[in-house]
Amino acid sequence: MKKEYSKKEIKRILTSEAEIPGNVNRGIANAYSEIGMDTKVTMRYAKKHRVLTAVAAVAALVAGLSIVTVAANKFLSANLVDKEEDKVGYNLQVDREKEAHEIKVEATYMPEGYEFAKDGPYAGKWRNEATDKSMLVEGFNAADLDRMERINGNAFMDYPRDEHMKNLEISGMKADVFVSDGFYTDSDDTTKNIYLFNEEFGYGIWISCNDNLPAEELIKVAEGLKVTVLDSVVPYATDEEIEKDKGGSPDWEAYYQAGVSKDAIYGIGDEVKNPLYDPDDAESAKFEEDMRFTVEDVQIKDAVSLDEYPAENYPDYDAAAQWINPDGTLKPHDRYRLSSEGKIDEESLEQNISSKFVVVKMKAKNCSREKGRMNEEMGIPMAPDLTNLVPRDDGNYSYAPDFYYSANEDYHLQWGSANGSSFPVYFDGMTHTEGIERQKSAYFRTVEPGEELEYTLIYVVDEDHLDNLYLWFYSGSGSTNDSILQPYVKIN
């Protein structure tokens, strides 16, 4: 299922490159692709003629607009400069002698069909329900921009030079329009981004969408923005806070290099315990649950039927059904392969990939004496991720060297989590069965102390990944602590 990102998460992503190096940049790239962006990894897409057409349309619209002349004594300096590999990017400088104020950004114009979402998975975005598209309009005050630039050395992403429109003026702000080729092989959408900077008052605005709207529509959105500088003052980050943000993350590169210990590998029929539960730690026992999982059986199937696996047990059956043939087999799909070097381009596109179903019979038992807070508030995660590990000569395991993205717009059967692993598409133990909660919490359920459940999960996996499949339990803990072994079950 698609993951939508909140404003807070997007700000975190934009400042994360300095904190998460190397291989883990794959996860960041996935986050960017979900909101219609590429990261500082090289992500060049096919169908370039669409970009050139869109750029020409924008050029015709903005021809004759004057460049803003900014006084020397300015609050913010936002300059688009040449970068390596024929790219351009921003160089931002904020005068911290001036007070940073909060800003309020209101869009007075939106293309037809777009409505502001106050809650749900698209909260804070403009959403076109009919086309299943969304648009982001996000403001950054001077303190935001200063922090991002000081942490990252490059607050916003770089773009290939041929995807950039020259500086133009919109409502007294310096603006740049970028049009990138569509990511998906079966879509005519293009990714459009506009960055606007008010150097006098020290704020920036980012407008982004991935759809088939003409770029002129985004310019109209930008022209209709109402920006209010509020009285409330925002403090700038101290040097100590900046250094903490730069160096406060775990050593993810070392974590990935270390791989997975052979002691964390289990087999079918083995009982897997919660590595985060510590009965001797009172706080742990209050929050976590003494859950025991057993993978009882695994079958690789060419096809599944609704008679055996009913549609109501799919968290999103409509999304899955469009990739299932009438005989129950899976349709081929396209994918991009992102290597550890972090590159997606035309050469990384792989088409007509065949897949199979992985049907997993599970047993779970809550051996706790009392219900923990997580169980009470949101339930227990019942579905491990499906991922790949590669055996090493020393008996331990490495993480898979490649990361994959769907090259089809409506394909969400695999690679649903930020670490590159996949959620199941089927769970016959769902208790959240209505509306948004069905999709957000489908794989969580309350399990009473002493309760034992048997249930079935179905995953989708590409045929060339069948040899090294593992179910990854408690992947969401995100710990690099060597004493906490996240368990894996080898399933073939």
Side-chain angles (χ1 to χ4, degrees), residues 37-112:
M37 295 177 60
D38 58 4
T39 61
K40 296 191 176 66
V41 300
T42 302
M43 300 177 75
R44 297 300 308 278
Y45 312 134
K47 302 172 294 184
K48 180 57 65 179
H49 63 278
R50 293 179 187 153
V51 174
L52 299 179
T53 301
V55 168
V58 178
L61 180 74
V62 304
L65 291 179
S66 62
I67 305 300
V68 179
T69 302
V70 183
N73 184 24
K74 52 192 175 184
F75 194 152
L76 166 69
S77 173
N79 296 311
L80 200 63
V81 298
D82 290 338
K83 297 293 183 75
E84 60 182 357
E85 297 182 359
D86 197 35
K87 290 188 174 183
V88 293
Y90 284 105
N91 182 347
L92 301 181
Q93 293 183 344
V94 176
D95 183 356
R96 293 199 294 275
E97 295 298 319
K98 295 180 171 65
E99 286 186 338
H101 286 255
E102 288 189 80
I103 64 169
K104 180 181 179 181
V105 181
E106 301 173 84
T108 64
Y109 172 82
M110 270 289 149
E112 184 177 356

Side-chain angles (χ1 to χ4, degrees), residues 352-419:
N352 296 315
I353 305 298
S354 298
S355 305
K356 292 185 181 294
F357 295 100
V358 179
V359 181
V360 180
K361 302 290 185 180
M362 294 279 298
K363 181 174 71 175
K365 183 175 182 179
N366 187 349
C367 297
S368 304
R369 295 179 181 178
E370 299 179 1
K371 188 185 295 184
R373 190 164 70 247
M374 179 177 177
N375 193 1
E376 185 74 45
E377 294 178 357
M378 62 181 299
I380 301 296
M382 306 298 291
D385 290 357
L386 182 65
T387 191
N388 287 90
L389 296 177
V390 180
R392 298 197 311 214
D393 292 340
D394 62 1
N396 298 313
Y397 296 80
S398 297
Y399 295 101
D402 296 319
F403 187 91
Y404 294 88
Y405 297 92
S406 171
N408 300 109
E409 185 174 21
D410 295 322
Y411 184 88
H412 308 302
L413 304 187
Q414 298 185 74
W415 317 305
S417 56
N419 52 37

Side-chain angles (χ1 to χ4, degrees), residues 253-400:
E253 186 69 20
Y255 173 69
Y256 268 75
Q257 290 295 328
V260 176
S261 168
K262 59 186 176 183
D263 296 330
I265 306 299
Y266 295 80
I268 294 174
D270 293 340
E271 184 179 73
V272 174
K273 298 180 180 180
N274 181 357
L276 305 177
Y277 175 77
D278 182 357
D280 297 325
D281 183 339
E283 286 303 312
S284 170
K286 287 180 182 179
F287 186 79
E288 294 290 343
E289 217 83 10
D290 185 10
M291 289 297 301
R292 314 285 179 90
F293 292 95
T294 304
V295 178
E296 296 190 307
D297 182 61
V298 176
Q299 295 183 23
I300 310 297
K301 290 179 174 285
D302 293 326
V304 297
S305 69
L306 291 180
D307 291 337
E308 187 174 5
Y309 305 104
E312 60 263 26
N313 294 328
Y314 287 80
D316 191 347
Y317 178 71
D318 290 339
Q322 60 185 315
W323 291 96
I324 301 176
N325 293 309
D327 64 357
T329 60
L330 287 158
K331 297 177 183 178
H333 66 95
D334 301 338
R335 72 188 186 192
Y336 290 104
R337 180 193 297 262
L338 176 62
S339 68
S340 58
E341 287 75 29
K343 184 178 182 181
I344 283 184
D345 56 20
E346 293 90 338
E347 295 180 359
S348 71
L349 177 63
E350 300 172 344
Q351 296 183 288
N352 296 315
I353 305 298
S354 298
S355 305
K356 292 185 181 294
F357 295 100
V358 179
V359 181
V360 180
K361 302 290 185 180
M362 294 279 298
K363 181 174 71 175
K365 183 175 182 179
N366 187 349
C367 297
S368 304
R369 295 179 181 178
E370 299 179 1
K371 188 185 295 184
R373 190 164 70 247
M374 179 177 177
N375 193 1
E376 185 74 45
E377 294 178 357
M378 62 181 299
I380 301 296
M382 306 298 291
D385 290 357
L386 182 65
T387 191
N388 287 90
L389 296 177
V390 180
R392 298 197 311 214
D393 292 340
D394 62 1
N396 298 313
Y397 296 80
S398 297
Y399 295 101

